[in-house]
Amino acid sequence: HRVPTSTSPSRSYRPPSHLMDRGLGRLSVLAGHLLGATPSSASSDSSSAGSSSSPAKLSVDVPEMKKVLREGYDEECLKVRERLMEVLSTPLFQPRTNMTMEEHRKLTTERVYKIAEKRLLKTEELLSKYNQFVMVKEHLAYVDFSLQVKDSVHYGLFAGSIFCLGTEKHRKYFPKIDTLEMFGCFALTELGHGSNVRGIETTAEYDRATNTFVINTPTVSAQKCWIGNAANDGLWSTVFANLFIDGTNYGIHPFITPIRDPATKQPLSGVYIGDCGFKMGLNGVDNGRLAFHNVRVPYENLLNKFGDVIDGKYVTSIPHHGARFNSMLEALVGGRVAVGACSLSGAKLGLLIAVRYGLSRRQFSPNQGKEPEMLLLDWYSHQRRLMPALAGTYAFQIYGNYVRHRFQHQGEKDHREIFLLAASFKAMATWHKAETLQLCRECCGGQGFSAESRIGVLRTDSDVDLTYEGDNTVLMQAVSKALLQEFSSYFKGKKPLTAMLKYTWMSGHIGRVFRNKNFIVQMLASESSLHSPEVYLDAFAYREFKLLRQLARDLKDKTKVKKMSGFDAWNTSMDLIMHLARSYVDRVSLERFLAAIQVAADPSLAGKPAPASPIPTTDIQAPNVQTLRAMCNLYCMTRMERDMAWFLEHQFLAPSRARAIHVESMKLCTQLRQVALPLVEAFDIPEVLVAAPIAGDWLAPKTDVVPWLVNKEQA
């Protein structure tokens, strides 16, 4: 097992021999965990998890588990990874702390240009090689979230908007975008309108005399705000504005707009730029404000895929303003998928650091000092926090792989469903990341608070993930709204817009709701059923439908009986709306987890549509299958425990069964502790990108202030 290179200053002496022996001992413990060995102290903690019997032995085939987690990354993608790592392994990309905002911005810009020299990403391949795009961003997040965000603003948002919203005539910009000659921004959000982007105020008026568009910022609140790359480096921006022709507003449209002179880096005439300043994180990204005063852009700079001006008249294939704008947003959903994927990079890195530290740091002796102190991860309080987070990270990684695959291979009829899958994935993955990093920080104690340990920096840098690319709460409302539309279409005999309710209907759950109120109680009556993810899938689908029906009834009652407006009815149902959306994600993510287990059991199923009903894999002994089932079970139990009040309130679980689920989840935490290290090693994070002293020999960097302990012969 390799130890990350220390970020501490070099010293002219080496630690004394007894400290070196202690460090080698810690490395030996880590190596033993990775190879499947379990220290003797682990058995003493097993009984504390609520079971007198030893937990079943699990094993992890790390190379095969890596394949499960990186599904969709083909050989070409892995070759791009090798080329990327040639750059990221250089000193320029080693994590640095204690920088000023100006130093951090300068370093981040230098890094973006260095990566661009490798020509890893091409705008024209943004969709066809989307997996490569996401893979690159995931690895940039391991280095520094500021690097990932700054790079993504240019190659994802700016390049992506031109690729997805432009037409053939705009392809001429691609080479200059690829080389950063057109370093770009994406200007949609305004000071007064963030989530409600339909309300933006910026205008673009068509001038017939010159065949140009004149862009203006009509109010103070109309300033484009929080625009990445705008404060320092951006030369161009995709600016979203209301298109006016002869006084008529034709809705929001995007315009390629130059904002700086490439030679002097000064704002162009009529362009005013402000700096958003120091933030709680991501201070390597130069967020800024943009305002426009009579800025003219050429006619050809209108990105005209969904709307155009021909001979002075507006032309579109989507007459409705709202539907047209929705189509624009759906075309840009790739950035939202990437945000979710990169947020999981933070969760994975945090878990790797916390688990390694927990397997080398000791605390408290079980027999008043007569026995060695216990490893942190042998304490049940540690297992109970980190193992569910680990299981959840696997679940959302597998879910994200599915969403990424659907996005890259989407057809014309898939846009709406993929938009909603991406919304749910981004929201739940970023929430999970924030919670996981907080747990990892706490599990590393005071060492986790140090910036060089990276977890706290990851937490604050990525906190804005919960807001940008769609506020999570707003995104989840969109998911529930779509579920209501699908619910209505089924009952009205209309063709569904998406397959969001496919499993619920095909498996006959609606019939069971009417026929047998308590079928879940019956299914969870046996001990063996508590370890059946397929049973939990039925439970999650049942809950989802009940919540969906309740929401539909509540909205109808509020509007028809209580005479509330649709707006007020929706606003006063927010708890139920959010509950439904989370329930949907629980069900879909579990479906994907089960599909991944089936592929692990039978690799010939890879790339094929998942069966309508899950195939049981209880007795299959293929590599990783039983470990994946244990992870899946813990994920199911954790999700159910979080919503246990609902299941008990609706009498879908007897109290004794609720207690049994809690006890079994406790046992699973201890069982998975046996393989915690290989499970995090399967994240396949390059060692050079871990770069956290507490993930290796955390004493070695701390010998500088104890010179009297240094071996005199080595001093």
Side-chain angles (χ1 to χ4, degrees), residues 116-178:
E117 292 176 2
K118 297 291 286 187
R119 302 291 188 269
L120 298 173
L121 303 174
K122 295 182 180 179
T123 304
E124 65 181 358
E125 298 174 344
L126 200 57
L127 183 57
S128 63
K129 296 184 178 180
Y130 181 70
N131 279 334
Q132 293 181 20
F133 172 85
V134 174
M135 182 274 298
V136 169
K137 305 309 172 190
E138 288 174 334
H139 283 69
L140 298 188
Y142 293 138
V143 176
D144 182 6
F145 269 106
S146 285
L147 171 61
Q148 177 261 313
V149 170
K150 188 174 183 68
D151 193 81
S152 295
V153 168
H154 174 76
Y155 287 108
L157 293 176
F158 177 65
S161 62
I162 296 175
F163 177 85
C164 296
L165 304 181
T167 52
E168 186 65 28
K169 67 181 180 181
H170 298 112
R171 295 179 62 86
K172 65 181 181 180
Y173 295 116
F174 291 177
K176 292 183 178 180
I177 293 173
D178 294 342

